Amino acid sequence: MEEQLQKALNNVSFSVNAEKQTMDLTVIPHGETTPISFHLNYKIVENGENTDIFITKIASDRLWIDEIVKLWLEKSNFQYRIPQNFAGIIKMFLK
């Protein structure tokens, strides 16, 4: 999956505001000439030894992408379990 994303996306920039629990991502999809920017809101949830990250909102600078993401988030809650061996490091940056 990661290799496929690297082939499809160029010039990725990424920043995190842990205090506000937001992420900003800008990519230029393969074959495109203009970047697409995303703003994500997330929350970190710790449950025993497990640490999960939930994406609660995604906004894009493209209306059609916003609509697709909105429908996607309504149907499925984006949740990712952070592997235990990375949880401590990731929480330092995201929490």
Side-chain angles (χ1 to χ4, degrees), residues 8-24:
L9 303 174
N10 298 314
N11 299 327
V12 175
S13 69
F14 179 72
S15 65
V16 173
N17 183 327
E19 185 177 313
K20 293 182 179 179
Q21 292 192 324
T22 61
M23 297 179 194
D24 290 296

Side-chain angles (χ1 to χ4, degrees), residues 22-78:
T22 61
M23 297 179 194
D24 290 296
L25 173 69
T26 301
V27 297
I28 300 177
H30 183 71
E32 296 290 324
T33 57
T34 56
I36 300 174
S37 297
F38 297 90
H39 180 78
L40 295 86
N41 293 56
Y42 67 90
K43 66 179 179 177
I44 301 285
V45 176
E46 296 179 70
N47 186 8
E49 292 184 12
N50 296 324
T51 303
D52 296 323
I53 183 169
F54 291 88
I55 303 299
T56 58
K57 183 179 178 184
I58 301 175
S60 168
D61 59 355
R62 306 275 172 91
L63 181 60
W64 66 273
I65 293 176
D66 272 352
E67 292 301 317
I68 290 171
V69 169
K70 181 180 171 185
L71 290 172
W72 177 62
L73 281 175
E74 285 175 359
K75 291 184 180 186
S76 64
N77 212 2
F78 183 83

